[in-house]
Amino acid sequence: MKLLEVRNLKVFFPIKDKLFGKPDKFVKAVNDVSFHVEKGEIFSIVGESGSGKSTIAFTLMGIYRKNNGDIVFNGKKIENIGDFDLLRKRIQIVFQDPDSSLDPRKRVRDIIGEGLKIHKIGTKAEINRKIEDVVEKVGLTQDILKKYPHELSGGQKQRVGIARALILEPELLILDEPTASLDVSIQAQILNLLVELQERLGLTYILITHDLNLVKHISDRIMVMYLGKVMEIGSTAQIMSGPLHPYTKALLASVPVPDPEKRNEDEETLTGEIPSPLNPPEGCPFRPRCKYSMDDCWNELEPIEMKERIVFCHLYKEHENSGGV
Amino acid sequence: MALLEVKNLTVDFHIPEGILRALDGINFTLREGEVLGIVGESGSGKSTTALAIMNLLPTPSGKIKKGEIFFKDEPLLANIDKLRGKEITMVFQNPLNSLNPSLKIGQQLIEVLQEHMGMNEKEALLESIETLKMMGIPAPETMIDRYPFEFSGGMRQRVMIAMAMLCKPQLLIADEPTTALDVTIQAQILRIFKNLRKSTRTSIIFISHDLSVIAQIADRVLIMYAGKILETSEVKNLFKNPLHPYTQGLLKSIPAFSKTEGKKLYSIPGNVPNLLDPPSGCVFHPRCPYIKEICKKAAPPLFKVGNSNVSCWLYKGADEL
Ligand SMILES: Nc1ncnc2c1ncn2[C@@H]1O[C@H](COP(=O)(O)OP(=O)(O)OP(=O)(O)O)[C@@H](O)[C@H]1O
Ligand SMILES: Nc1ncnc2c1ncn2[C@@H]1O[C@H](COP(=O)(O)OP(=O)(O)OP(=O)(O)O)[C@@H](O)[C@H]1O
Ligand SMILES: [Mg+2]
Ligand SMILES: [Mg+2]
């Protein structure tokens, strides 16, 4: 069952002209992106810095306004501010950097309980019970509630961030680089907690990350983005063992393998840099770095669907609907 | 032959909360021509090791309390001012802070060559362009006329490596040279290091918290934890046969290595210790699955097991170093 469906989402940021203060250019942070998330799955969004991953998350949370497109949650189209208010309870987010996302002046009890207050849920006693419950769920002890963020370790802070998100009993949890700021030995602790919570509470996750090793291990389906556009969507097995888009191939080839016996001395490293988002290439955004680029690649691309997977690449035009490559 | 020898190096930071021992008697050697990887979590002492070698510890808080460093069998710290920038160079963890923002890239490179190699401007210009080319910077003839802010993060890092390699140093210390970069750019930078080890005689200390990166680039590896070296090993050996329980735990918790059922990963329990109040005995004992009574009481010496060194009481009975 589809829990979330996003159709043709566009989110543009105006860049103000320095002299006259009027917007004269736009960063097309999310440019015509469509995907869906099945109930109960871990759906990963991967792509390099600036590809638009966080912008999608903030737009789903109603923090950024969309310029265009549809967001459908549990079959209901989310249109106005009231809809987003409702959505904000059902969708929660855990941020990358717990340091900047936890208010340093508040005690952990108030940080975790804040959402309940905002949404006016429950009496004081009920709120306290819920707080104590959720603290236990995320593997912390009750004495943490009196503390301030600066008294916590990185891993504890991230657990508080998860508790704050969970207390509203969301259906969908967005995890934006949930372990990137943590020590290597703490990352696995937090990931295990997230996996356990998902199984126990029947949650659905959107996982945003740079870490392709992690994505391979944990997710059910993957969306690969580049410069605001979708390159490819498919199951984890499909993407990891048979990437179609040349960008996905290059991305996977760039991941260092934790095995000194498998030093790929001639792996194909991508040449060139990610173009400026203010001045994205015409047609396929990957064209200038793609070794298969051809005249067609200057044209906008329609999604090519093949057996449960979608790829945006002219190379696969003739395979459309043929059921595979 | 050992190019660099670090003996019993101990570094303290004097901070308002007390004395923080960032390095506690570390020992290692760097052989000529090798790439030595230093791995460890945040705060384990990787950058402090590099800065102590360069004699660039922050003053007045950072001090070498004990120990010696030898470079080609000579005491290093007496000579470091002559060697730094020419024979021994470093790529810093934060590249933004280490380029002069108001000077064109070309000028910065040319100055280094004029100062250390006594080249005239024309020679220095040609050599700069040559080195930038080696780093895979497109159209270096025009790039040298640009300012640092006009470069992307990946390009800036290439310039930093170019600057460090200009005088063909004997030792290059690279502190997390790819950490802030995207994975496709990281692969490009790793490629540069792989080429350097083939085409030059420069020995490299490569610092990273990422074991996967280390697997790709290092010949030998030091595993650091809370100011100590827990294990020293040849890279292939380290991944095949990790000795220290900490190393074993780190490897098991990498998703690509995971042999657990389902989506759960192995994880090391507990937290990294506070160095203002370090654990007694072995620094890893509060998190160790094999803890014995002695581990709480006495810090283990280095034991020699095969070609590796390991600081862990499990190997008691092996040769002590
Ligand atoms: N509030 C904003 N105002 C203007 N531009 C923005 C804003 N937020 C994001 N952008 C721009 O939109 C593009 C996409 O940014 P976004 O943060 O979504 O990328 P990301 O994929 O999350 O990257 P990262 O991996 O670095 O977190 C970038 O070019 C970014 O500079
Ligand atoms: N200037 C300083 N003043 C006080 N303490 C310091 C200073 N620099 C480092 N330390 C402390 O010394 C210890 C070692 O720090 P160091 O920077 O060497 O770690 P690292 O292994 O390089 O970590 P990272 O992976 O975060 O770069 C840490 O506990 C750190 O807090
Ligand atoms: Mg982001
Ligand atoms: Mg460091």
Side-chain angles (χ1 to χ4, degrees):
Chain A
M1 195 193 101
K2 284 179 187 169
L3 180 63
L4 173 74
E5 194 168 6
V6 170
R7 289 191 220 117
N8 307 102
L9 183 68
K10 290 186 180 176
V11 186
F12 296 172
F13 296 108
I15 300 298
K16 293 227 168 62
D17 182 302
K18 278 202 190 77
L19 273 180
F20 303 104
K22 58 171 197 237
D24 62 344
K25 271 191 167 175
F26 292 89
V27 174
K28 300 181 174 177
V30 176
N31 193 3
D32 205 2
V33 167
S34 303
F35 64 95
H36 80 271
V37 180
E38 295 279 334
K39 197 169 168 52
E41 77 171 342
I42 300 183
F43 181 76
S44 289
I45 307 181
V46 301
E48 294 175 274
S49 204
S51 56
K53 306 180 298 292
S54 296
T55 303
I56 291 178
F58 289 157
T59 310
L60 291 173
M61 297 293 297
I63 300 168
Y64 290 162
R65 298 252 312 258
K66 62 182 163 73
N67 296 60
N68 203 351
D70 295 327
I71 298 172
V72 181
F73 190 77
N74 260 334
K76 182 176 172 3
K77 215 158 145 183
I78 307 299
E79 276 305 335
N80 50 44
I81 296 183
D83 292 341
F84 272 108
D85 270 346
L86 275 177
L87 203 58
R88 257 199 290 264
K89 260 182 286 178
R90 320 284 288 281
I91 306 182
Q92 284 292 308
I93 185 164
V94 176
F95 295 97
Q96 162 169 355
D97 182 7
D99 272 325
S100 54
S101 63
L102 304 181
D103 185 342
R105 290 156 307 178
K106 286 199 175 127
R107 286 180 201 274
V108 169
R109 177 182 290 280
D110 298 320
I111 291 173
I112 294 179
E114 196 177 21
L116 294 176
K117 281 208 192 103
I118 290 173
H119 294 285
K120 302 195 178 64
I121 299 172
T123 63
K124 202 158 179 195
E126 278 166 351
I127 289 181
N128 278 336
R129 213 200 53 241
K130 281 195 172 167
I131 291 174
E132 281 147 30
D133 256 15
V134 81
V135 159
E136 205 180 302
K137 273 201 191 107
V138 299
L140 292 169
T141 48
Q142 301 297 330
D143 59 313
I144 201 125
L145 291 172
K146 310 192 282 292
K147 296 193 175 167
Y148 288 95
H150 73 88
E151 298 173 83
L152 311 181
S153 71
Q156 286 173 325
K157 280 183 215 166
Q158 201 54 304
R159 285 176 199 265
V160 169
I162 295 168
R164 171 177 63 181
L166 281 184
I167 201 163
L168 289 164
E169 295 168 22
E171 286 171 73
L172 175 64
L173 200 55
I174 302 176
L175 308 163
D176 193 354
E177 303 272 6
T179 60
S181 67
L182 300 176
D183 268 322
V184 185
S185 72
I186 307 301
Q187 289 182 3
Q189 294 178 4
I190 296 297
L191 285 170
N192 285 345
L193 171 69
L194 288 167
V195 167
E196 193 187 300
L197 288 169
Q198 192 223 4
E199 286 166 2
R200 197 143 56 98
L201 307 175
L203 292 167
T204 305
Y205 287 165
I206 293 180
L207 172 66
I208 294 174
T209 177
H210 284 248
D211 184 345
L212 285 139
N213 282 328
L214 169 61
V215 162
K216 181 178 181 183
H217 186 73
I218 199 176
S219 44
D220 298 303
R221 286 191 312 129
I222 298 173
M223 170 160 85
V224 182
M225 290 188 68
Y226 186 75
L227 266 183
K229 295 247 185 201
V230 177
M231 301 284 96
E232 181 164 5
I233 302 177
S235 74
T236 301
Q238 285 171 335
I239 302 264
M240 289 293 168
S241 48
L244 294 179
H245 200 289
Y247 176 65
T248 315
K249 289 181 186 173
L251 191 66
L252 292 177
S254 302
V255 178
V257 187
D259 184 352
E261 311 269 357
K262 287 196 196 125
R263 273 192 199 168
N264 205 340
E265 298 290 341
D266 329 288
E267 92 265 10
E268 286 178 38
T269 45
L270 267 183
T271 50
E273 307 261 316
I274 303 175
S276 158
L278 273 175
N279 225 339
E282 242 174 85
C284 172
F286 188 57
R287 176 181 45 75
R289 298 172 83 190
C290 183
K291 64 175 178 181
Y292 304 104
S293 84
M294 44 191 182
D295 289 347
D296 265 1
C297 303
W298 289 79
N299 303 322
E300 281 295 326
L301 195 67
E302 293 301 312
I304 295 170
E305 291 193 38
M306 291 177 272
K307 259 196 184 166
E308 305 276 296
R309 70 192 292 189
I310 298 167
V311 59
F312 286 78
C313 175
H314 286 280
L315 284 177
Y316 298 97
K317 253 188 188 152
E318 64 268 34
H319 297 294
E320 184 151 22
N321 299 325
S322 71
V325 183
Chain B
M1 197 190 97
L3 182 69
L4 183 82
E5 235 185 316
V6 172
K7 286 188 174 163
N8 198 24
L9 182 66
T10 300
V11 172
D12 286 345
F13 285 107
H14 295 257
I15 55 175
E17 295 83 4
I19 296 176
L20 185 153
R21 181 145 294 181
L23 293 180
D24 191 6
I26 65 166
N27 289 286
F28 68 91
T29 53
L30 171 72
R31 298 174 196 151
E32 215 161 277
E34 85 174 337
V35 180
L36 179 69
I38 302 186
V39 195
E41 297 180 75
S42 188
S44 57
K46 307 181 294 297
S47 297
T48 304
T49 305
L51 294 174
I53 294 168
M54 298 297 285
N55 199 23
L56 291 175
L57 287 170
T59 47
S61 64
K63 285 210 177 64
I64 295 185
K65 173 88 181 165
K66 268 189 279 189
E68 289 159 303
I69 306 172
F70 296 95
F71 184 69
K72 299 204 277 187
D73 294 330
E74 302 272 332
L76 175 64
L77 296 180
N79 301 314
I80 183 72
D81 292 335
K82 274 185 295 184
L83 298 169
R84 195 194 301 119
K86 182 164 187 260
E87 298 291 350
I88 305 182
T89 59
M90 178 159 169
V91 175
F92 292 88
Q93 192 163 357
N94 185 350
L96 262 188
N97 296 341
S98 32
L99 282 172
N100 184 336
S102 56
L103 278 184
K104 288 179 183 168
I105 294 291
Q107 260 171 295
Q108 306 198 31
L109 294 172
I110 287 167
E111 271 176 22
V112 170
L113 285 168
Q114 286 179 321
E115 188 187 327
H116 290 300
M117 306 298 273
M119 289 187 185
N120 66 35
E121 186 157 355
K122 183 137 182 260
E123 289 167 333
L125 176 68
L126 287 176
E127 184 65 31
S128 300
I129 291 175
E130 200 48 46
T131 312
L132 289 176
K133 209 181 270 164
M134 206 165 99
M135 300 304 145
I137 293 187
E141 300 82 1
T142 57
M143 290 305 226
I144 52 170
D145 277 327
R146 303 232 183 129
Y147 291 94
F149 71 85
E150 297 176 77
F151 283 65
S152 69
M155 279 298 159
R156 235 181 266 131
Q157 194 60 293
R158 282 166 210 257
V159 172
M160 294 306 307
I161 301 168
M163 182 113 65
M165 287 304 295
L166 268 183
C167 306
K168 308 198 166 55
Q170 305 205 34
L171 168 59
L172 166 68
I173 303 177
D175 192 358
E176 305 263 10
T178 64
T179 302
L181 305 173
D182 269 315
V183 56
T184 61
I185 311 296
Q186 166 169 284
Q188 294 174 359
I189 302 289
L190 283 178
R191 156 92 337 138
I192 292 174
F193 276 97
K194 285 177 181 174
N195 289 340
L196 281 182
R197 46 191 302 247
K198 279 188 217 140
S199 61
T200 71
R201 293 180 46 80
T202 301
S203 308
I204 299 174
I205 294 180
F206 193 105
I207 296 175
S208 175
H209 65 274
D210 187 342
L211 274 163
S212 309
V213 169
I214 290 293
Q216 289 296 310
I217 194 76
D219 300 314
R220 260 183 340 123
V221 187
L222 309 180
I223 303 284
M224 291 195 73
Y225 183 79
K228 296 259 193 195
I229 294 175
L230 299 188
E231 181 165 356
T232 311
S233 178
E234 272 160 24
V235 68
K236 287 186 182 162
N237 216 1
L238 185 89
F239 282 79
K240 229 186 293 167
N241 185 22
L243 296 174
H244 201 285
Y246 175 63
T247 318
Q248 294 169 356
L250 275 186
L251 284 173
K252 273 196 281 185
S253 63
I254 299 178
F257 252 45
S258 170
K259 302 212 165 57
T260 49
E261 284 281 307
K263 289 174 176 174
K264 282 219 172 173
L265 291 169
Y266 174 83
S267 73
I268 301 174
N271 272 308
V272 179
N274 174 1
L275 290 181
L276 282 168
D277 183 20
S280 61
C282 169
V283 276
F284 188 61
H285 90 250
R287 306 177 73 185
C288 185
Y290 307 111
I291 182 171
K292 292 185 288 192
E293 228 13 74
I294 188 170
C295 308
K296 299 182 202 161
K297 292 191 184 117
L302 270 182
F303 295 105
K304 192 168 165 50
V305 180
N307 278 330
S308 309
N309 299 336
V310 60
S311 170
C312 171
W313 285 119
L314 283 178
Y315 301 91
K316 197 178 158 192
D319 285 343
E320 233 174 86
L321 284 175

